[in-house]
Amino acid sequence: MAPGGSVPPARQDTVGAVVRRAVRRVLLPTLRRVPSPTSDLREWIALLEKEGELVRISAEVDPDLEITEIVDRVVKSGGPALLFENPKGAKHALLINQFGTEKRMCMAFGVEKLDDLADKLGEILELQPPQGLVDKVRSLGKLKSIADSMPKEVSKAACQEVVLTGDDVNLDLFPIQRCWPLDPAPFITLPAVITKDQATGVRNVGMYRMQKIDRRSTFMHWQIHKDGRADLRAAPDGRIPVAVALGLDPVTAYSASAPLPKHIGELMVAGFLKGSAVQLVKCKTVDLEVPANAEIVLEGWVDRTDVGIEGPFGDHTGFYTPPEEFPIFRISAITMRRDAIYPSIVVGKPPAEDEWLAKATERIFLPAIRMSVPEIVDYDLPTAGTFHNCVIVSIRKSFPGHARKVMHAMWGLGLMSLTKSVVVVDEHVDVHNYEQVFFYVCANVDPARDILLSEGPIDQLDHATTIQAYGGKIGFDATAKGPDEGRREWPQEIEMSPEIRARVDARWAELGLAGAPSGPDVQNEARARTLTQLLRR
Ligand SMILES: Cc1cc2nc3c(=O)[nH]c(=O)nc-3n(C[C@H](O)[C@H](O)[C@H](O)COP(=O)(O)O)c2cc1C
Ligand SMILES: [Mn+2]
């Protein structure tokens, strides 16, 4: 390096680096600021429209099967949200496919990528006793954001502009879809169903399909492992009040589908993810509170002895779930906004719109899973595995049998316990790169040694098990095994040396191969991406 000159080269670099860092950290985020989560469905629709992510359809379209066929084509081609303004036979518009792409899911949460959600939650979960003043102030800020997330009660709400009771209660007002040809009736598919534990008063919110029976009643599809079902089971007099909120802001709607432990409030998590508390208003005919920003609210009762045969229903498993006994929801009031918009979703053979609800859950729950199983680096629930059929997990392996420990942990963790198969790989494997995972499963597994068969609770919707909701589990240990696990010497994986890679990188332009990938990693990544995209389309 030549000595002299007015500014020493090292100093110049440092100033340049500082400026570059400032631009990257301060200016760029301001320029491409992602909009914050929206406060209600109408603001969300306006945002979608502004961003070219929503198409209004004014032609009359039939909620009986026809909407499904249109939406299925749009979802599978990565198309926009749809607002059907004239559904046949109904008084209200229908919004669908609001969650159907990764981009819209990120818009809903006001993040650039879904992984940012994990970072946000991880910061809170990993709160440590603060060291020093700066740390204390930062921790206080985080604690305040939790306190500010608790739902708040308000006295007036748009969702009660119209109140219908008695004979005026009429589900025929809404464009409830019959989704698939063998469905016996229309189903409400995107509800936030609110109940309370009668003993503790703890509120639960869950998303459970509701088959329409008549103008004033539906089934309530509370599966046996779910919190809503537990609230009914525990009711001292066998009946509980129920409120159903339809047409929420997208984050609160998502929170109803989140598999949280029973004592953790879905609406608190929604408030935290939104950055503002969910506002609640008291119901008119039952002792419950509902999100004030809802478009439509159904109030009523469910009684353990008041049951009927629900289904079949074309489900997210890709099959029809067979008819089965479920409780009936008797509606005592419908409250709503004037010109309320009815929200819907169609599930079916994957990929469907619910894929991105599941992917949001996968990312949001990573830090929580790491709290119990810290050796987990990352995990992936393949869409084709319909949430509960398969989980791929990468671990920092540090003792014999470690992969099996993680399999058992997954089978013991909340609703993850329902998963049928667990694939465990080493930390350097990209769990989202299915081709890479397949390589390690094929290469590293000795089927006589590395497969763990077990049994346990299985998702109630699973049709493959002999007994409903109980069956087999399989674990694949695709990690490297060495002498510490009593195996012969494990071979080394092939890798080019860093020096040669750097040399070829430096010479790439000279070779006249410009435009081609400049190294094996880039190459593999590019191939993996196309494969993942194919799987997701
Ligand atoms: C679109 C959609 C439909 C769903 N339908 C049902 C259903 O009919 N019954 C059910 O038990 N779970 C259903 N789920 C899953 C539950 O919403 C999920 O397990 C949630 O954690 C339940 O809340 P809980 O844990 O408070 O019971 C559905 C999820 C989605 C995304
Ligand atoms: Mn719950």
Side-chain angles (χ1 to χ4, degrees), residues 474-494:
I474 189 164
F476 297 85
D477 177 358
T479 61
K481 292 125 208 137
D484 64 340
E485 289 184 298
R487 318 295 178 218
R488 66 192 165 117
E489 203 60 45
W490 199 258
Q492 275 215 281
E493 285 185 36
I494 301 171

Side-chain angles (χ1 to χ4, degrees), residues 204 227 260 266:
N204 189 69
D227 296 343
L260 292 163
E266 284 84 2

Side-chain angles (χ1 to χ4, degrees), residues 189 204-209 221-223 226-228 256-260 266 345 347 354 357 415:
T189 51
N204 189 69
V205 187
M207 190 173 283
Y208 322 97
R209 73 181 188 228
H221 193 258
W222 279 325
Q223 292 165 34
K226 307 299 173 78
D227 296 343
S257 76
L260 292 163
E266 284 84 2
I345 188 169
V347 298
D354 58 335
L357 290 170
L415 286 180

Side-chain angles (χ1 to χ4, degrees), residues 171-440:
L171 288 177
D172 293 341
L173 293 170
F174 307 114
I176 305 176
Q177 282 183 271
R178 192 166 71 96
C179 298
W180 297 105
L182 298 187
D183 293 0
F187 284 78
I188 297 173
T189 51
L190 201 64
V193 178
I194 298 162
T195 51
K196 273 188 182 170
D197 181 316
Q198 300 295 293
T200 63
V202 171
R203 182 185 299 113
N204 189 69
V205 187
M207 190 173 283
Y208 322 97
R209 73 181 188 228
M210 297 159 59
Q211 178 184 330
K212 184 177 163 203
I213 298 173
D214 55 34
R215 288 159 52 117
R216 301 176 55 177
S217 54
T218 74
F219 284 106
M220 187 56 78
H221 193 258
W222 279 325
Q223 292 165 34
I224 56 173
H225 305 111
K226 307 299 173 78
D227 296 343
R229 183 62 164 255
D231 285 345
L232 178 64
R233 205 183 290 130
D237 60 354
R239 68 197 291 262
I240 51 171
V242 176
V244 177
L246 294 160
L248 301 167
D249 67 274
V251 176
T252 309
Y254 157 78
S255 75
S257 76
L260 292 163
K262 190 164 191 315
H263 60 281
I264 297 186
E266 284 84 2
L267 297 183
M268 190 268 283
V269 171
F272 177 75
L273 291 171
K274 281 204 308 179
S276 62
V278 174
Q279 297 196 337
L280 295 175
V281 68
K282 275 197 186 319
C283 288
K284 295 287 182 189
T285 58
V286 291
D287 186 17
L288 288 170
E289 304 79 35
V290 283
N293 69 4
E295 292 286 321
I296 302 162
V297 176
L298 313 177
E299 305 178 3
W301 291 86
V302 173
D303 187 316
R304 273 206 297 268
T305 59
D306 185 14
V307 295
I309 299 299
E310 196 254 19
F313 176 67
D315 219 317
H316 77 97
T317 55
F319 293 82
Y320 285 96
T321 43
E324 198 182 343
E325 190 177 279
F326 276 92
I328 295 172
F329 173 52
R330 305 278 175 194
I331 302 172
S332 53
I334 294 178
T335 76
M336 60 181 157
R337 290 188 184 221
R338 276 183 280 277
D339 304 321
I341 297 165
Y342 171 84
S344 192
I345 188 169
V346 170
V347 298
K349 275 194 190 141
E353 184 185 344
D354 58 335
E355 163 180 27
W356 291 107
L357 290 170
K359 282 289 153 193
T361 290
E362 179 198 290
R363 291 299 94 194
I364 288 171
F365 280 72
L366 177 58
I369 288 180
R370 280 210 200 111
M371 287 289 284
S372 315
V373 196
E375 59 270 48
I376 289 182
V377 176
D378 201 357
Y379 77 134
D380 186 284
L381 301 169
T383 296
T386 66
F387 299 16
H388 54 261
N389 285 338
C390 178
V391 54
I392 303 162
V393 49
S394 59
I395 63 165
R396 237 171 265 112
K397 187 174 168 183
S398 53
F399 49 76
H402 204 156
R404 284 171 191 241
K405 182 236 180 200
V406 171
M407 291 170 196
H408 291 296
M410 299 313 261
W411 289 325
L413 214 56
L415 286 180
M416 183 67 80
S417 63
L418 304 180
T419 200
K420 282 204 279 193
S421 39
V422 182
V423 178
V424 185
V425 292
D426 284 309
E427 60 183 302
H428 67 275
V429 179
D430 177 1
V431 292
H432 311 296
N433 179 338
Y434 302 143
E435 197 170 2
Q436 213 184 89
V437 171
F438 194 66
F439 166 73
Y440 284 100

